Amino acid sequence: MAGTILEPGQIEAAASKPPFINLPPSDLFALRSERLHRLADDHPLAAYLRLLADVCKAQQQVLDNPPPTAPLDERRTRESLRHDLPPLAADTLVRDDAWLPLLDAWLEAYVVPDNPAVAAAINQLREADSGQRKAWAVALVSGQYDSLPPALVPFLGATLQLAWSHRLLQLDLSAMREREDQTHCPCCGAPPMAGIIRHRAQLNGLRYLVCSLCACEWHYVRLKCSHCRSTKKLDYLHFEGSPQGVKAEVCPDCNGYLKQLYLELAPDGESLSADLATLDLDLLLAEQGYNRQAPNLLLAPGGDA
Ligand code: FE
Ligand code: FE
């Protein structure tokens, strides 16, 4: 039988190859909730961060005790993986009914605060029929924020995150092949919310992009714009001494930026909460004429809480 004999160096390289995908932990929403609570202390947007901490807490409750949902179509999953297509393609699956029980379960779990604007948004979601809910969700996952009421974004966004992470954690991804230059999530096709620079062991110094929808992370080389793939003159803007460990990777080619969380600077950091706690950086970058490319589904563009 013919074969290639690996030299010792090649064997080590193959054995230590870092993973292409990191799945989120099964308590990801609890981690986000705790982190948002901690970041809220002495923060100018404390009430807003605490509100979102409770949104995440309800996400975790449903993830721990999910309602029955239609199983994934195994053939479709297999075919998607074989053709390097995202097996949980958001733009298609959001039109199915399968995620709606998670929306209802989240509405059950969420304790509505004494806040008339929030109560009105939750009522609007409760009363909408499945066609309306899906139409809003299609708009949200495709970034068409003008096509849904801004007040609904964090709550609808939370239920979509929950539904997609729930699916992701059920999926067997062993057949997924690594692809370079992947600017969208290989699992669900959504754009990244942020980057994260890992600092431990085998992953030390590697950058992963964090999916805005399903929360999986995929490897993406550093010093390269994750929007237009330019490698020229990227800049890293941040506030001196910012405790969140966040720097914005700014690209002069496409005029966009993506926030990066450096775990070396904030070892307890978590990307979604770090993003929401550094909206002052977004304001500064907007003033300088840069465009935010990354969605955070708990945040309506324009900054309305
Ligand atoms: Fe994803
Ligand atoms: Fe760019």
Side-chain angles (χ1 to χ4, degrees):
M1 191 175 106
T4 309
I5 296 172
L6 288 174
E7 297 296 328
Q10 290 174 296
I11 294 169
E12 280 155 28
S16 67
K17 193 166 166 45
F20 173 46
I21 298 275
N22 294 323
L23 289 179
S26 58
D27 60 350
L28 85 150
F29 298 120
L31 292 172
R32 286 177 175 178
S33 179
E34 284 163 26
R35 187 74 188 157
L36 283 164
H37 270 301
R38 249 182 300 154
L39 290 168
D41 292 340
D42 300 323
H43 195 287
L45 296 177
Y48 169 63
L49 297 179
R50 290 194 182 109
L51 176 89
L52 294 178
D54 290 341
V55 167
C56 296
K57 186 177 158 200
Q59 286 177 304
Q60 187 67 48
Q61 282 172 13
V62 181
L63 190 68
D64 290 341
N65 288 295
T69 46
L72 279 173
D73 182 335
E74 281 182 29
R75 211 191 109 255
R76 183 154 134 183
T77 304
R78 229 180 12 251
E79 287 300 303
S80 299
L81 288 168
R82 195 200 319 230
H83 294 101
D84 289 340
L85 295 169
L88 301 177
D91 52 355
T92 325
L93 292 179
V94 76
R95 295 166 203 273
D96 289 352
D97 286 344
W99 63 274
L100 293 171
L102 286 128
L103 168 62
D104 283 318
W106 183 87
L107 286 169
E108 279 288 307
Y110 181 57
V111 179
V112 182
D114 187 12
N115 175 324
V118 174
I122 295 296
N123 264 343
Q124 198 175 2
L125 260 186
R126 267 190 220 287
E127 285 167 11
D129 63 21
S130 56
Q132 177 65 80
R133 289 168 166 188
K134 285 193 282 185
W136 284 332
V138 167
L140 186 50
V141 300
S142 55
Q144 288 166 1
Y145 287 88
D146 293 346
S147 302
L148 80 160
L152 299 189
V153 169
F155 310 110
L156 185 63
T159 64
L160 290 166
Q161 286 178 339
L162 166 62
W164 258 260
S165 293
H166 172 57
R167 286 289 203 211
L168 177 70
L169 292 170
Q170 295 173 322
L171 211 57
D172 174 7
L173 293 172
S174 53
M176 182 170 278
R177 288 185 291 247
E178 175 153 5
R179 280 160 276 162
E180 279 184 24
D181 255 352
Q182 186 77 29
T183 58
H184 283 65
C185 175
C187 296
C188 77
M193 171 185 65
I196 185 162
I197 316 295
R198 298 252 155 219
H199 72 315
R200 292 241 164 89
Q202 188 195 17
L203 305 185
N204 184 23
L206 294 181
R207 187 247 296 260
Y208 284 82
L209 298 181
V210 185
C211 178
S212 54
L213 182 61
C214 75
C216 102
E217 297 175 4
W218 68 98
H219 179 243
Y220 193 88
V221 293
R222 289 174 72 171
L223 307 174
K224 185 172 205 171
C225 174
S226 54
H227 187 65
C228 75
R229 301 187 173 111
S230 171
T231 52
K232 281 179 285 177
K233 295 185 187 142
L234 296 178
D235 202 359
Y236 293 83
L237 299 183
H238 61 106
F239 289 118
E240 205 56 59
S242 156
Q244 291 91 2
V246 169
K247 298 181 187 180
E249 185 174 73
V250 178
C251 173
D253 264 3
C254 67
N255 226 30
Y257 67 90
L258 186 74
K259 287 184 189 166
Q260 313 291 322
L261 169 63
Y262 290 74
L263 289 179
E264 198 175 47
L265 302 176
D268 297 334
E270 184 284 319
S271 49
L272 177 131
S273 48
D275 178 23
L276 295 169
T278 55
L279 298 180
D280 49 353
L281 189 54
D282 294 277
L283 285 178
L284 178 77
L285 289 159
E287 277 169 22
Q288 295 186 7
Y290 292 110
N291 302 315
R292 181 175 167 125
Q293 310 285 15
N296 181 324
L297 295 184
L298 301 192
L299 175 72
D304 290 342

